[in-house]
Amino acid sequence: MSALEKSMHLGRLPSRPPLPGSGGSQSGAKMRMGPGRKRDFSPVPWSQYFESMEDVEVENETGKDISFAKCGSEGPVLLLLHGGGHSALSWAVFTAAIISRVQCRIVALDLRSHGEDVGNVVEAMYGDLPPPIMLIGHSMGGAIAVHTASSNLVPSLLGLCMIDVVEGTAMDALNSMQNFLRGRPKTFKSLENAIEWSVKSGQIRNLESARVSMVGQVKQCEGITSPEGSKSIVEGIIEEEEEDEEGSESISKRKKEDDMETKKDHPYTWRIELAKTEKYWDGWFRGLSNLFLSCPIPKLLLLAGVDRLDKDLTIGQMQGKFQMQVLPQCGHAVHEDAPDKCVSWLLVTCCPPLLNIELCCKYVAPEATVMPLSPPPRPAWPCDTGSL
């Protein structure tokens, strides 16, 4: 079972009861708190991780603007694509980890159902001469990154990284995706409540990341006339309305009152209704392995578990066509749960080609520790001088 499938099934289970004598605290050094202390689930602003949040107008049929978060002003560009239902803020802690080690520019796109515009975004931002760019995508964003790279939509692309997405396990997980979405809470009482749920359900195992990431995943219910969270409340009323048309006006009034009460008690809901994107799921992941292998650039695959690689990926890995690393103690959101480990493997496997000799000397931060790109020269031997 893949990490994505485990995450979906675990998310539907009730919270684990506290262990005897544990006081309800979670295991792990980062989870231990002093007696009587509560964990802080308050939201954190994006400005603590990014320098700016901007919009770029993309030239397409709809003419929509795409938002993106930026950090850094020099060096190669790391173009970050979030997973389904997430936002650019899911890369906040990852951004802080890599900016502290490598001098580069971070551009985290906020893709709202129009991931096909990645190439147009690059053109709108940098014109005909874009800087060196590396694409990094998580889950659905990883699939979009592969499609973008294989279509040669970014001419200056120097590297590609997919995070926890494999064609075989992704296609298998799609069968249970709707059940997973139905098992999630439809509404939340507050941002703190949403953050707490994400951590305790295991959707995001890093509290620091959850406090900024969940802010981009939910929105206030104002303006929603029939939130999904109120369905269970009004189901019985709807059945009664069909049987008794004479009281339709009073029933309609009661429905509106129940809707308003739901909004008042649970004012936050999911920003993206993933269930409505089901018709696109197959196209995102089918054929992903061959597209990934066909990209003639350095490639890295980061996984949360030992996923079942299909025949093409297994052969490709044995042939050295891409690098793969498994981070077993992470959930599906690998870059949020273990940002430092992701950055380390990114630097070791993909950044040497990205940061070549000239770029490395120019862009690597002075305080960063970077592995040498080639072994030091050996001392001269007697056979080299002709003395033997």
Side-chain angles (χ1 to χ4, degrees), residues 279-301:
K279 61 182 179 180
Y280 303 108
W281 294 351
D282 187 86
W284 287 339
F285 302 111
R286 188 172 298 278
L288 185 63
S289 296
N290 287 327
L291 287 177
F292 178 66
L293 293 172
S294 67
C295 297
I297 49 178
K299 298 178 287 291
L300 172 64
L301 177 60

Side-chain angles (χ1 to χ4, degrees), residues 116-132:
E116 68 277 5
D117 293 326
V118 172
N120 293 333
V121 171
V122 172
E123 182 178 0
M125 292 180 64
Y126 303 110
D128 297 332
L129 296 174

Side-chain angles (χ1 to χ4, degrees), residues 43-51 92 96 208 211-212:
V44 175
W46 61 266
S47 56
Q48 291 192 15
Y49 299 92
F50 297 101
E51 295 174 354
E208 180 187 0
R211 293 175 63 189
V212 61

